[in-house]
Amino acid sequence: MCSDPTDIAVLDDALLRLRRLWSASRSPFVDDDGITAVDVSSLIVVEACARGVEAGTEVVVGDVAELADVTASTASRLVDRAAQAGLLLRVESSIDARRTALQLTPAGASLRERAVTARTAWLADQLQEWDPAEVRIFGTLLARFADGLAPSRGPGDRFSP
């Protein structure tokens, strides 16, 4: 089934304008001390770890790479940065002694909770004029779209006109 090119153009334009989400996410998020800025990549690492905890699974660097849509080596550097910030620990895997698992520290769990609260409050503010049914439909369709996206390809793959 092929969509109308005009509808696709409207979606393309809307997605380009969503850069506002990234601009909003670059607002400094501070740690518990109220002073130390938290790197956005550390928030992603913390989120990957928290999702693993919620799913009852062990989290490894590959899980961070998948959520962040980066290579394993990049994810490893992000994990190192989050560990240095005291947000997580590298521990021996209970599944495979050759692997290292990631475990949130209390500071990491607290950061995740505050980040979720901040994100959802911001979203609620942006959608306050929407009908609740519209928000539900939008959420369902956006989740479906996100679930269907293929991971990014390597740096050699570029969009071609």
Side-chain angles (χ1 to χ4, degrees):
M1 174 169 34
C2 186
S3 297
D4 183 306
T6 303
D7 292 338
I8 297 296
V10 168
L11 285 171
D12 179 57
D13 178 63
L15 289 170
L16 287 171
R17 289 183 288 124
L18 281 175
R19 73 183 183 283
R20 292 181 189 126
L21 286 173
W22 297 113
S23 297
S25 72
R26 282 195 296 266
S27 301
F29 195 86
V30 293
D31 209 346
D32 281 331
D33 62 12
I35 300 168
T36 308
V38 177
D39 190 271
V40 173
S41 63
S42 291
L43 290 172
I44 293 171
V45 172
V46 165
E47 184 64 30
C49 291
R51 288 180 183 196
V53 168
E54 290 169 353
T57 61
E58 189 172 82
V59 179
V60 296
V61 170
D63 298 314
V64 173
E66 184 177 334
L67 182 65
D69 197 19
V70 297
T71 64
S73 62
T74 298
S76 184
R77 286 191 297 276
L78 299 179
V79 166
D80 287 344
R81 188 178 305 144
Q84 288 172 355
L87 301 173
L88 62 90
L89 300 171
R90 289 179 181 261
V91 298
E92 185 176 312
S93 169
S94 62
I95 298 169
D96 183 346
R98 297 169 294 176
R99 294 177 13 160
T100 299
L102 308 175
Q103 188 176 69
L104 282 179
T105 62
S110 172
L111 176 65
R112 195 281 180 127
E113 185 177 313
R114 290 182 297 111
V116 169
T117 298
R119 287 194 317 260
T120 55
W122 182 83
L123 281 168
D125 186 52
Q126 301 306 307
L127 297 168
Q128 66 183 348
E129 301 294 321
W130 289 40
D131 180 89
E134 291 175 318
V135 173
R136 191 172 17 268
I137 291 167
F138 179 61
T140 299
L141 292 174
L142 190 58
R144 179 178 164 194
F145 179 74
D147 290 344
L149 290 177
S152 291
R153 293 170 283 204
D157 288 338
R158 299 285 184 232
F159 290 105
S160 52

